[in-house]
Amino acid sequence: MVTRAPRRALPENRVHRTGNRVLLVLGRQEWMDRPSYRFENMLTFAFNAFGGARDRIANLLNGVWLGHPVHPPLASLTSGAIGTTVALDALSILPGRPKTEVFDASRFAQRALGVGIVANLASAVTGIADWQHTHEQDRRIGAVHGILNVIATGLYLRSWRDRRRGRHRRGIVTSALAYGITTGSGFLGGSLVFGSGIGLDQSGNRLRIGQWTPVAPVTDLPAGKPTRVDVDGVPVVLCRTGDTVAALGGLCPHLAAPMEDGWLDRGRIVCPWHGSQFDTATGEVVRGPAAAPLPCYEARVRGGTVELRDGTDHPVGSGRHTPVFAITDAETTEKPVTEEAGQP
């Protein structure tokens, strides 16, 4: 019997495996949970100190106004500005360069570094707002990601100060070291986004039906309690309030929480995990941490049966106004409750 020696992993596979091992080790550091949750409590007190402006500030940091988290574009701006600094630093130390070019490269490197520091601070604030609603392995990896960024920011500030005092060589070395730390931190941040879906819209597949489709008897819908139905394999929650029925996506866009476990509050459906609130008539985010709207569908009642369809004039889940139809058994007297309703 011929035995073959095991194949050696390709270099790119070895890098991938090493990265996975790092993530596994960091994710197992349970000792980080206590200090991280204490820090989260401090953040909660800080947000509550804003009183009535709390939700507006939280929505600003979570990116509700943008439709997705603000942290990634700010992190990209930071990386671009610091990368420009490192490139200009490299240009300034090349041998044989005219003094004027060296001076210009050093001057613009310092300005790019200043932009990077400001962007990094803003990125940190928005990143903390996103990290606040993570748990277990993701929370631990996110904590290390944040600590590395704090260290890198301190080094960037030190580099900027050295440059201002004419110590350009020391400033170049310091910022290059910090950029290496930022690169490692960026790997951890990327694993949270692309591996765990932090910050991505996790509301799942959208319902794609153009014709009115019966889904449930209206008598099966308790008033004031979201009820889940599956239509073509897509989870949908039906919300009956008074004499109206609204149809929304069954998974929260933030971290895919089951919305049937949530509750209704003054025309809003509340996520059971992190308290995100969505307008039941439009699916728009009223309160984060969710940034993307909840998919919203047209609903009506005919002959005691709730029927759904997805309007074809607007993209699904775009926060568009969706008509909510009054409950009636008379097929010829159904009217939209709102003035903005589209087709009956």
Side-chain angles (χ1 to χ4, degrees), residues 20-339:
N20 281 342
R21 283 195 291 268
V22 170
L23 295 175
L24 288 173
V25 170
L26 294 179
R28 292 170 181 163
Q29 305 306 307
E30 297 182 3
W31 62 270
M32 301 177 64
D33 293 344
R34 176 174 292 183
S36 69
Y37 279 109
R38 286 180 177 176
F39 181 60
E40 181 191 351
N41 289 335
M42 293 172 56
L43 293 176
T44 301
F45 285 126
F47 276 115
N48 290 337
F50 290 103
R54 177 191 184 280
D55 288 351
R56 292 194 297 273
I57 294 174
N59 288 349
L60 174 67
L61 297 178
N62 291 135
V64 173
W65 56 277
L66 190 60
H68 62 74
V70 188
H71 179 67
L74 286 175
S76 297
L77 176 59
T78 301
S79 179
I82 301 299
T84 300
T85 300
V86 173
L88 289 173
D89 284 342
L91 182 63
S92 68
I93 62 176
L94 286 177
R97 308 298 299 180
K99 290 184 177 181
T100 55
E101 289 188 10
V102 172
F103 174 77
D104 288 340
S106 299
R107 181 162 54 94
F108 285 115
Q110 182 175 334
R111 292 180 179 178
L113 179 60
V115 173
I117 291 172
V118 174
N120 207 21
L121 293 173
S123 176
V125 173
T126 55
I128 288 173
D130 293 339
W131 169 86
Q132 184 181 6
H133 304 285
T134 58
H135 303 281
E136 298 181 341
Q137 289 90 348
D138 292 337
R139 173 173 285 255
R140 298 160 195 157
I141 293 172
V144 177
H145 169 71
I147 291 171
L148 290 177
N149 278 340
V150 169
I151 295 173
T153 302
L155 292 175
Y156 290 137
L157 288 169
R158 177 67 179 271
S159 173
W160 188 81
R161 187 182 65 176
D162 286 339
R163 293 166 192 262
R164 293 275 293 178
R165 295 180 176 180
R167 302 168 183 168
H168 295 288
R169 294 284 179 177
R170 181 185 296 182
I172 289 173
V173 173
T174 304
S175 58
L177 174 62
Y179 190 60
I181 296 174
T182 298
T183 302
S185 174
F187 164 74
L188 300 181
S191 71
L192 293 175
V193 174
F194 300 108
S196 300
I198 304 298
L200 300 181
D201 184 349
Q202 298 195 46
S203 56
N205 294 329
R206 271 44 171 179
L207 195 59
R208 306 286 185 181
I209 50 175
Q211 303 297 324
W212 289 108
T213 302
V215 295
V218 70
T219 54
D220 290 350
L221 307 182
K225 177 69 174 67
T227 302
R228 171 170 171 159
V229 295
D230 289 290
V231 185
D232 289 344
V234 178
V236 178
V237 289
L238 303 177
C239 304
R240 178 179 177 180
T241 305
D243 60 349
T244 64
V245 173
L248 301 154
L251 301 176
C252 179
H254 180 225
L255 288 177
M259 295 303 292
E260 71 269 19
D261 293 337
W263 59 92
L264 301 178
D265 179 24
R266 295 168 296 177
R268 305 173 182 179
I269 182 171
V270 183
C271 171
W273 287 2
H274 301 108
S276 296
Q277 298 180 11
F278 306 88
D279 191 315
T280 56
T282 65
E284 292 180 350
V285 182
V286 179
R287 175 181 174 182
L294 194 64
C296 193
Y297 308 105
E298 296 182 7
R300 72 178 184 183
V301 177
R302 289 174 65 92
T305 300
V306 179
E307 297 181 346
L308 302 183
R309 74 174 178 184
D310 167 44
T312 56
D313 295 336
H314 305 278
V316 180
S318 62
R320 62 181 171 85
H321 185 88
T322 302
V324 181
F325 289 84
I327 297 178
T328 173
D329 288 335
E331 297 185 3
T332 59
T333 60
E334 293 174 350
K335 297 180 180 180
V337 173
T338 61
E339 295 179 359

